[in-house]
Amino acid sequence: MSEADQKLKLRTAAFDARFPNTNQTKHCWQNYVDYYKCVNARGEDFEPCKQFYRAFHSLCPNEWIEKWDTEREEGTNPSNFAI
């Protein structure tokens, strides 16, 4: 194995008992919302927030993330990202 192969660790989101079904759409959405709630409460450098970030990037299609980011920036996203 090369040095680059040894450093790269690919992981998917861990099992979450709240979402036992095959369809992970709600799991994807909840991690997206939890990430921005965490960032709003603690800041982007707070290490536990990064777990939500990794999870929703692992679970959600990029098109959804881009759409939700646009809606969040425009203030039209239906979720409340405040604590």
Side-chain angles (χ1 to χ4, degrees):
M1 250 190 234
S2 71
E3 187 175 326
D5 291 335
Q6 292 175 357
K7 290 182 181 181
L8 180 64
K9 291 183 182 180
L10 298 177
R11 289 188 249 159
T12 60
F15 175 75
D16 189 333
R18 298 176 297 170
F19 308 103
N21 300 322
T22 303
N23 186 341
Q24 294 293 304
T25 303
K26 179 142 175 59
H27 190 186
C28 153
W29 171 252
Q30 191 62 56
N31 277 285
Y32 180 85
V33 171
D34 288 345
Y35 172 73
Y36 284 102
K37 283 184 176 184
C38 184
V39 166
N40 289 338
R42 301 289 186 148
E44 289 186 26
D45 295 332
F46 189 59
E47 190 63 32
C49 293
K50 294 177 183 174
Q51 175 61 31
F52 296 124
Y53 180 86
R54 287 189 295 270
F56 84 76
H57 271 276
S58 171
L59 294 166
C60 303
N62 291 334
E63 294 81 20
W64 292 5
I65 295 170
E66 291 169 8
K67 178 181 183 268
W68 296 338
D69 285 344
T70 302
E71 289 175 347
R72 189 175 41 80
E73 290 166 5
E74 294 173 348
T76 60
N77 191 294
S79 187
N80 180 3
F81 294 103
I83 308 171

